[in-house]
């Protein structure tokens, strides 16, 4: 695997596993944020679609740090990270959306159980809109 960015190219370690369907699962650890080109070759030949354009948003300073275990969440289902690096979690069994800071401490929870437009029933997915609003999908929507 070769990762390049703004004329800077580096060979990186990556794991390539062929799936039963003939596709490949590729995993690697980037060192920097930003827009990159990922070139993958098997037997000296680029795989179909290579090079791939990637936008790396994971903070490089998180590399190698242990992950906090947050056990008080009730069936976490969907997770998204905000621009402020807060963690938004859909807690399906608790019928709520919880916001944690980057250290994993609970900042806020929204719980409105029901089937009306502004209520949740087993929230499953969360996303952040471009203007910073939390978008939620649940069992009924």
């Amino acid at each position: 695997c070769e990762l390049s960015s703004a004329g800077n190219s580096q060979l990186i370690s990556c794991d390539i596993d062929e799936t039963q369907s003939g596709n490949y699962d590729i995993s690697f650890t980037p060192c920097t944020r930003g827009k990159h080109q990922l070139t993958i070759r098997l037997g000296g030949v680029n795989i179909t679609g290579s090079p791939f354009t990637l936008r790396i948003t994971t903070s490089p300073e998180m590399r190698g740090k242990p992950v906090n275990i947050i056990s008080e969440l009730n069936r976490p289902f969907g997770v998204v990270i905000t621009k402020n690096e807060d963690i938004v979690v859909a807690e399906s069994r608790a019928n709520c959306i919880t916001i944690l800071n980057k250290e994993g401490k609970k900042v806020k929870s929204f719980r409105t159980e029901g089937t009306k437009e502004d209520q949740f029933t087993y929230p499953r997915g969360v996303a952040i809109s471009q203007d910073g609003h939390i978008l939620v999908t649940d069992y009924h929507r």
Side-chain angles (χ1 to χ4, degrees), residues 2-141:
E2 182 179 350
L3 191 65
S4 59
S5 167
N8 182 16
S9 182
Q10 62 181 339
L11 292 177
I12 60 170
S13 173
C14 66
D15 294 319
I16 302 174
D17 296 310
E18 188 172 4
T19 66
Q20 290 179 349
S21 62
N23 294 319
Y24 295 95
D25 288 334
I26 301 165
S27 58
F28 67 96
T29 303
C31 296
T32 57
R33 293 183 193 194
K35 190 175 179 180
H36 300 277
Q37 293 285 322
L38 178 65
T39 304
I40 301 170
R41 294 183 188 91
L42 288 175
V45 178
N46 282 12
I47 66 170
T48 304
S50 181
F52 303 93
T53 300
L54 306 174
R55 180 161 179 78
I56 307 298
T57 58
T58 302
S59 174
E61 56 270 8
M62 292 181 70
R63 184 177 174 190
K65 290 187 178 178
V67 174
N68 290 338
I69 297 174
I70 305 163
S71 59
E72 67 267 10
L73 298 176
N74 194 347
R75 183 106 182 182
F77 219 98
V79 177
V80 68
I81 309 241
T82 69
K83 289 179 183 177
N84 300 349
E85 297 185 7
D86 287 334
I87 305 160
V88 181
V89 181
E91 289 189 71
S92 185
R93 204 168 274 153
N95 292 307
C96 74
I97 302 301
T98 298
I99 301 174
L100 309 166
N101 63 20
K102 62 184 174 183
E103 286 80 34
K105 304 267 190 251
K106 191 179 284 191
V107 175
K108 193 181 290 187
S109 272
F110 304 95
R111 185 179 195 283
T112 56
E113 185 176 350
T115 58
K116 294 181 182 174
E117 188 174 316
D118 60 345
Q119 297 176 326
F120 308 123
T121 303
Y122 305 119
R124 306 253 173 146
V126 288
I128 304 295
S129 68
Q130 287 186 332
D131 55 354
H133 290 97
I134 299 171
L135 309 173
V136 180
T137 61
D138 70 0
Y139 183 74
H140 292 287
R141 292 168 272 256

